[in-house]
Amino acid sequence: MSRPELTRRTLLLALLLSSFASQAADMRRSPPVLPGRLLIEDGRQQAFETSLVELSSGKTQRMPRSEIAKGQTSADTWAAGHPAGSGTLLRTDPLGNLAFMDGRTMDVLAAINLVPLRERGLDPQFRSAIPSPDGKYLLGYWQPNQEGKPRLFVIGRELKLIENDSPLRYPTQGATHALDWLPDGRYVYLAGNALVVARPGEGIISQTRLEIPGGADVEGASLKASPDGKHVILTLETQARVPLGLLYAARIGDSKLQLLTQPSAGIANGSVRLSVQGAAWSPDGRWIAFVMRGINPGTPGYYQACQPVQVIPFDGATHIIGGAEDRYSIHLPRDSKPLAACGRINWLP
């Protein structure tokens, strides 16, 4: 074979391999078909509006605002029960009043109005509140009348008190978002570095001391249980040149933590203090959604609430996040900009 012919064939082979590599890269970049709907304040509509966004189609439904939120420049906050449960949602207005909402009809099923309680000198000051899978109870932390430290609570939606504290002693001030319901009606929470499972009215069932990585801190952690009730995801702040909030997973009953997110070199060497926030499981337990929010210690007041929603597979791997064009961002059909969330994230069936 002549040298020109060999050179031509070599070039053709190189072009062919390059084409295959490009196609493979395109396949890797192809967005997955994600299940369910995200309940988010997305910033695409009017400010302070919360929407229910269908991920497969991009169809958006605005959530009903409370009367208090309509009259103020602030948003209601929403919390969802277990994806396999009754579909009950909890809406908290800017004054702290709670409404149990039917997730299909958006009818108000029950309400907890704080005004009469405050007129009687009682102010529960809910730090967090999550509806149970059957929609009949609330789990969270409260600090009645600003007295003492925040206490873990379970109450019925008619204000019947089931639990008014954990029997364990741990710093609760930074643990108010480190708790969640399990699908069978038990609940799980972080008590220091112990992962605790309890049942309303029956007390603690199990507790497992987690092997917290060096440099990570449980203070200010958040927690979310998987749809099958076998795992939790934890957001922990990790000390570095600039502190970073990273995402970990643990199997309930196992002490080991698995790192799910690793910052890119640009983030690790940068000056912006970033944190994973609002982490939520997909209804099938195969994906985890979150946003990366941060502040720049060198720029007082710098904070951007609305950030792209990112989704990683729950596949046993550690995922590098934070590139200039992050490959984990969600793009809805016919929308060139990534979907953004300006507050909490709830992922519904």
Side-chain angles (χ1 to χ4, degrees):
M1 183 183 300
S2 66
R3 182 175 295 276
E5 179 66 17
L6 181 60
T7 301
R8 189 177 70 84
R9 290 193 177 188
T10 301
L11 288 174
L12 286 174
L13 180 60
L15 288 172
L16 185 60
L17 291 175
S18 176
S19 176
F20 285 156
S22 177
Q23 291 177 25
D26 288 341
M27 291 176 65
R28 287 194 300 269
R29 287 194 296 266
S30 296
V33 178
L34 297 171
R37 302 164 294 167
L38 288 185
L39 181 61
I40 56 174
E41 184 188 340
D42 62 1
R44 294 184 303 163
Q45 308 292 335
Q46 182 178 346
F48 309 117
E49 293 280 359
T50 299
S51 300
L52 195 56
V53 182
E54 189 174 271
L55 293 174
S56 62
S57 67
K59 181 181 177 181
T60 300
Q61 173 188 354
R62 289 190 184 184
M63 303 299 285
R65 297 182 73 187
S66 67
E67 292 302 316
I68 298 296
K70 290 177 183 177
Q72 298 191 15
T73 55
S74 55
D76 298 313
T77 59
W78 293 78
H82 192 271
S86 65
T88 300
L89 304 175
L90 183 74
R91 185 184 67 192
T92 304
D93 73 19
L95 296 183
N97 300 307
L98 308 177
F100 294 79
M101 313 283 292
D102 186 303
R104 292 170 292 274
T105 65
M106 299 303 161
D107 293 334
V108 176
L109 304 174
I112 298 177
N113 190 343
L114 298 188
V115 173
L117 295 177
R118 288 168 178 159
E119 290 175 347
R120 290 159 45 196
L122 302 174
D123 189 352
Q125 295 192 19
F126 297 104
R127 295 290 190 92
S128 53
I130 310 168
S132 60
D134 60 9
K136 296 181 179 179
Y137 301 96
L138 287 180
L139 167 70
Y141 280 86
W142 58 11
Q143 193 174 9
N145 300 330
Q146 296 185 337
E147 297 174 356
K149 64 183 181 65
R151 301 198 301 268
L152 184 145
F153 73 85
V154 177
I155 60 172
R157 63 189 191 187
E158 298 82 14
L159 285 180
K160 179 181 178 181
L161 185 61
I162 310 298
E163 307 279 5
N164 192 25
D165 206 355
S166 167
L168 303 175
R169 302 278 72 87
Y170 60 96
T172 60
Q173 193 70 33
T176 54
H177 292 285
L179 76 174
D180 200 8
W181 290 98
L182 297 175
D184 60 2
R186 297 177 299 162
Y187 59 93
V188 58
Y189 64 98
L190 201 60
N193 63 352
L195 191 63
V196 181
V197 177
R199 188 181 298 277
E202 299 180 15
I204 293 175
I205 295 172
S206 69
Q207 52 182 309
T208 304
R209 193 163 298 278
L210 299 175
E211 298 174 5
I212 305 297
D217 193 352
V218 297
E219 180 75 13
S222 63
L223 178 154
K224 203 70 176 175
S226 63
D228 62 7
K230 296 180 179 179
H231 294 84
V232 295
I233 46 177
L234 297 166
T235 302
L236 304 177
E237 187 170 279
T238 299
Q239 296 300 321
R241 192 178 68 84
V242 175
L244 300 168
L246 302 179
L247 196 61
Y248 297 82
R251 176 178 283 275
I252 293 178
D254 191 342
S255 62
K256 297 185 181 301
L257 291 184
Q258 174 199 349
L259 180 63
L260 298 181
T261 59
Q262 180 72 35
S264 65
I267 287 180
N269 297 323
S271 59
V272 179
R273 178 177 178 171
L274 286 170
S275 179
V276 171
Q277 296 184 14
W281 293 87
S282 65
D284 59 8
R286 296 177 56 200
W287 307 90
I288 299 169
F290 58 90
V291 297
M292 293 288 291
R293 296 193 179 99
I295 58 175
N296 186 343
T299 308
Y302 173 85
Y303 180 79
Q304 291 183 331
C306 301
Q307 295 291 341
V309 179
Q310 301 182 46
V311 172
I312 59 172
F314 184 58
D315 57 2
T318 300
H319 298 271
I320 306 297
I321 56 175
E325 296 180 1
D326 203 300
R327 63 193 180 100
Y328 296 116
S329 297
I330 295 178
H331 287 78
L332 298 176
R334 299 176 298 279
D335 196 341
S336 60
K337 295 181 179 180
L339 178 66
C342 309
R344 298 182 182 181
I345 297 176
N346 290 276
W347 201 334
L348 311 180

